[in-house]
Amino acid sequence: MGKSSKDKRDAYYRLAKEQGWRARSAFKLLQLDEEFDLFANVTRVVDLCAAPGSWSQVLSRVLIKGEKFGRTAWRDKEARFRQQMLGILREGEQTDETVDAGVEHLKPREHVKIVSIDLQPISPLAGITTLRADITHPATVPLLLSALDPDYDASSVGTQATNPVDLVLSDGAPDVTGLHDLDIYVQSQLLFAALNLALCVLKPGGKFVAKIFRGKNVDVLYAQLKIFFEKVIVAKPRSSRASSVEAFIVCINFQPPAGFRASLEEPLGVGGRLEEMLKEREAQKTDAETRDAVGVSEQGVVEMEVYDDTPEDKERNTRWIAPFIACGDLTAFDSDASYQLPEDYVSLDPVQPPIAPPYKRAIEMRAAMSGPQR
Ligand code: SAM
């Protein structure tokens, strides 16, 4: 598909190029922040699966430069973009003031530390430490900890008192095969890897936000996350296509069970440790707590736990239904819609083309096979 037809088909792709983001994913993080105020009181962040780096760009602008994207900030830019599409405002017509409308400039935060990791190289971003590593590999934890603090003590891994990080983000996605169950499985393994890293570095009270693919057994995953976080909410930003199984879990207030210690040797998601912890947690609850417990979260959405009275259901874990929030309101672009562009619209190049994409070799091989071009 050509650049310009993608511009029409995917407003966020085009908007990202207009606004200087390396990927359309930036809007997902902005819309999640809009809903959950993710960056409040945050100075130390780990951005997992970060290439090409649009989430890291958002972090850099908010934490390092001290910009605040209020509910209207990027939307003002979006409105300008819509005007351009309608031909009311042409490229180059806007003043700097217009471009900057809605972004508040606050004092840059102190002692900011951002570490971004990906299998692929990430083009440098000022003030951000980038690591090329596999988040599923055990060696990545010490690598990350020494990037956060060169004097880190390996023996303290997993003891939350010394954990330095306020927020762990993971936008990890495998190369999708199209085999639905396989893709969901591989994605869940990435999520567990991200969770294990988060458990090793998050401060009590910290937050964890990660991409998930909503498959058959996703309820169990939500219940497992609830062992470690006070709130677990499933969020679907408007910039994430409604037609995709993608969503984000937003886990707030890290409060692991007493005595829990993250272990590099026995990561969660491998063996039965997580299942046992879930059973223990359920066993500690009283019937009254468990039966049809309904709570209203700060976002005003209902969360509930249900079980039937049959002994088998009681034996199986109670099902905890995570609240689901669609974020980014209806004034935002619909990521599944195509938009008409002005006739004279000039398609822009991506801000940061991938440095070493996994498909690079395939392109080289195809070029070699088709011989010299006439
Ligand atoms: N958040 C990024 C941004 O805003 O630019 C986009 C992330 S992209 C959707 C998913 C990334 O996951 C890819 O760059 C891919 O290389 C990375 N990834 C997949 N498996 C990984 C792994 N095992 N370790 C590290 N990164 C991984």
Side-chain angles (χ1 to χ4, degrees):
M1 187 193 306
K3 244 190 324 169
S4 54
S5 60
K6 201 167 171 197
D7 284 338
K8 273 188 214 152
R9 204 183 54 96
D10 185 343
Y12 287 99
Y13 168 76
R14 199 196 129 164
L15 199 55
K17 294 187 295 177
E18 284 269 316
Q19 295 185 5
W21 301 114
R22 291 180 178 187
R24 67 191 296 292
S25 325
F27 298 108
K28 298 178 191 170
L29 186 58
L30 288 169
Q31 288 170 346
L32 288 168
D33 175 51
E34 203 174 280
E35 187 67 46
F36 297 100
D37 203 8
L38 292 177
F39 308 128
N41 305 319
V42 160
T43 52
R44 296 171 80 87
V45 188
V46 174
D47 182 11
L48 301 173
C49 302
S54 74
W55 281 24
S56 297
Q57 282 182 292
V58 172
L59 293 171
S60 157
R61 290 191 59 176
V62 174
L63 306 186
I64 300 177
K65 296 191 184 139
E67 293 181 355
K68 179 157 174 58
F69 292 82
R71 280 199 170 259
T72 55
W74 67 272
R75 274 254 192 84
D76 283 355
K77 293 184 178 184
E78 187 184 288
R80 183 173 59 82
F81 174 71
R82 277 177 195 258
Q83 286 176 328
Q84 270 172 7
M85 290 209 310
L86 295 169
I88 300 166
L89 184 69
R90 299 281 172 212
E91 297 281 354
E93 263 185 325
Q94 74 278 9
T95 62
D96 280 354
E97 209 178 18
T98 323
V99 174
D100 218 18
V103 181
E104 255 183 272
H105 293 271
L106 307 176
K107 229 170 69 174
R109 301 183 193 193
E110 283 174 9
H111 311 299
V112 170
K113 184 80 203 177
I114 302 167
V115 180
S116 302
I117 303 182
D118 201 285
L119 279 177
Q120 305 297 328
I122 305 170
S123 183
L125 280 164
I128 296 188
T129 307
T130 55
L131 302 174
R132 191 172 181 183
D134 181 346
I135 66 160
T136 63
H137 199 286
T140 302
V141 181
L143 197 68
L144 169 61
L145 286 161
S146 43
L148 287 163
D149 173 9
D151 302 321
Y152 104 95
D153 168 13
S155 65
S156 71
V157 170
T159 48
Q160 295 96 43
T162 53
N163 287 355
V165 173
D166 304 304
L167 171 65
V168 174
L169 302 173
S170 174
D171 191 22
D175 289 335
V176 175
T177 63
L179 299 170
H180 207 55
D181 288 348
L182 179 64
D183 291 337
I184 287 175
Y185 174 76
V186 178
Q187 172 64 28
S188 72
Q189 294 310 299
L190 269 185
L191 175 72
F192 279 123
L195 176 65
N196 277 309
L197 277 172
L199 295 177
C200 291
V201 299
L202 265 186
K203 266 183 190 160
K207 299 170 212 165
F208 174 58
V209 176
K211 177 167 18 224
I212 51 159
F213 286 174
R214 285 167 300 152
K216 271 196 298 270
N217 296 323
V218 78
D219 283 350
V220 177
L221 174 71
Y222 302 150
Q224 289 170 335
L225 288 164
K226 196 78 164 83
I227 298 173
F228 301 101
F229 296 90
E230 185 201 347
K231 289 187 189 134
V232 175
I233 298 155
V234 188
K236 179 84 174 170
R238 195 153 157 82
S239 47
S240 168
R241 290 190 186 87
S243 50
S244 125
V245 287
E246 172 188 270
F248 293 85
I249 36 144
V250 179
C251 306
I252 295 168
N253 195 6
F254 177 50
Q255 43 180 37
F260 172 79
R261 185 170 177 157
S263 160
L264 303 184
E265 287 73 38
E266 202 195 341
L268 297 176
V270 179
R273 191 171 169 211
L274 206 46
E275 285 71 18
E276 275 163 33
M277 288 176 76
L278 192 56
K279 278 200 183 122
E280 254 170 55
R281 182 174 181 270
E282 292 307 325
Q284 281 162 7
K285 287 185 178 171
T286 62
D287 266 8
E289 262 182 308
T290 314
R291 189 183 301 266
D292 299 342
V294 176
V296 178
S297 79
E298 261 166 32
Q299 283 75 26
V301 290
V302 167
E303 53 181 274
M304 59 182 175
E305 291 177 346
V306 282
Y307 75 82
D308 292 333
D309 279 334
T310 63
E312 303 79 55
D313 277 328
K314 221 171 166 185
E315 182 63 23
R316 278 204 308 261
N317 293 315
T318 308
R319 229 157 36 98
W320 177 73
I321 316 266
F324 183 95
I325 293 189
C327 41
D329 64 34
L330 292 175
T331 62
F333 277 111
D334 176 352
S335 49
D336 285 288
S338 290
Y339 291 86
Q340 193 60 42
L341 300 176
E343 262 171 31
D344 59 349
Y345 178 70
V346 181
S347 184
L348 300 175
D349 283 328
V351 172
Q352 175 62 59
I355 303 173
Y359 49 82
K360 190 173 166 198
R361 181 146 164 69
I363 294 175
E364 285 166 359
M365 284 169 71
R366 196 173 56 190
M369 270 160 39
S370 59
Q373 300 289 314
R374 283 161 206 267

